[in-house]
Amino acid sequence: MYQEGTAVAAWLNRLGISAYLLKSRLGEHGSWAPFQDACSAMRLTRDHVQSTFGKAGAIGIVGFSAGGHLAASVCCHHEKAATFESTSGFSNRNCRPDFAMLLYPVITMEAPYHAENTRNALLGPEPTVNSVIEMSLHKHVAVSHPPTFIAHAQDDETVPVENAILYYTTLRSANVPAAMSLYPRGGHGFGMAYQDAAISVWPAACANWMRHQGVID
């Protein structure tokens, strides 16, 4: 939770960005349950910003590993949110992120580059062909996808780096503004990587990208 949660929130705070941590349901509640929770969180945050500051601000989404798949799901499938019932007062808010940051994200559910544990947790041990395609997010990138920053280590043995490469390539094909930082080592789950000089530069690279996107000054 610290390396991929509160430490990330503290870093964003230092950049002048308010941060919120999402605790979502998991796949045993249905493969779309985490997506529904993330969309509700986006809507709630957007409603809070509007009501507090009287104007819409840039609302981003950050995800690590399986959380990267969830964040990318909201980027790719945000229009599906309307198909799920919602009784909340902020259900009419747009849940599309304005920008996304994906760290060693799970992207594909297809062999040979899928992360088996994540696929089993989300889709079960014997997923249907349609569910695999639906949750292989590089197949669902559209021009409406928000600008995206991706970072991944090439020696990641849990989520193959090809997940990031597949996604970046698809984003570029769709003319979505995207940046990708790949590192020769760092493994999986490096988080903010404060103790690893080889990969600890990713937060600075990401902050520079956010400045270029106009998210921060």
Side-chain angles (χ1 to χ4, degrees):
M1 173 63 76
Y2 174 75
Q3 274 287 75
E4 298 175 351
T6 53
V8 180
W11 166 64
L12 291 170
N13 291 165
R14 290 193 294 273
L15 294 175
I17 299 175
S18 297
Y20 306 87
L21 300 181
L22 171 65
K23 186 176 181 179
S24 71
R25 292 171 293 167
L26 300 177
E28 60 261 30
H29 295 277
S31 58
W32 286 100
F35 170 81
Q36 289 175 266
D37 293 346
C39 288
S40 292
M42 291 297 299
R43 287 168 164 166
L44 177 61
T45 302
R46 186 158 275 126
D47 183 76
H48 172 70
V49 170
Q50 181 70 45
S51 61
T52 302
F53 300 103
K55 62 180 180 179
I59 309 297
I61 193 166
V62 187
F64 294 74
S65 191
H69 184 273
L70 178 54
S73 295
V74 179
C75 295
C76 291
H77 291 311
H78 57 89
E79 293 181 354
K80 287 183 180 289
T83 66
F84 298 103
E85 291 186 13
S86 176
T87 57
S88 64
F90 49 87
S91 60
N92 62 330
R93 295 288 186 193
N94 177 20
C95 63
R96 174 191 176 275
D98 296 306
F99 62 98
M101 296 174 285
L102 310 178
L103 288 303
Y104 38 93
V106 174
I107 294 298
T108 184
M109 297 291 161
E110 297 179 319
Y113 301 129
H114 68 292
E116 188 170 0
N117 288 343
T118 299
R119 190 176 81 165
N120 289 346
L122 190 63
L123 303 179
E126 297 182 359
T128 66
V129 173
N130 285 343
S131 66
V132 167
I133 292 173
E134 199 164 35
M135 290 298 179
S136 293
L137 301 176
H138 61 293
K139 295 179 177 290
H140 302 282
V141 171
V143 294
S144 61
H145 192 290
T148 301
F149 175 89
I150 305 169
H152 212 123
Q154 295 177 23
D155 65 348
D156 190 330
E157 296 182 358
T158 302
V159 179
V161 70
E162 283 79 8
N163 281 258
I165 295 170
L166 276 171
Y167 205 55
Y168 175 79
T169 301
T170 309
L171 291 170
R172 291 294 302 130
S173 296
N175 292 318
V176 174
M180 180 169 64
S181 292
L182 298 183
Y183 302 92
R185 67 176 179 84
H188 188 76
F190 53 77
M192 296 302 294
Y194 289 134
Q195 306 304 317
D196 190 337
I199 202 167
S200 62
V201 295
W202 83 257
C206 187
N208 286 335
W209 175 80
M210 284 191 282
R211 292 186 183 96
H212 181 73
Q213 293 298 317
V215 174
I216 57 177
D217 295 330

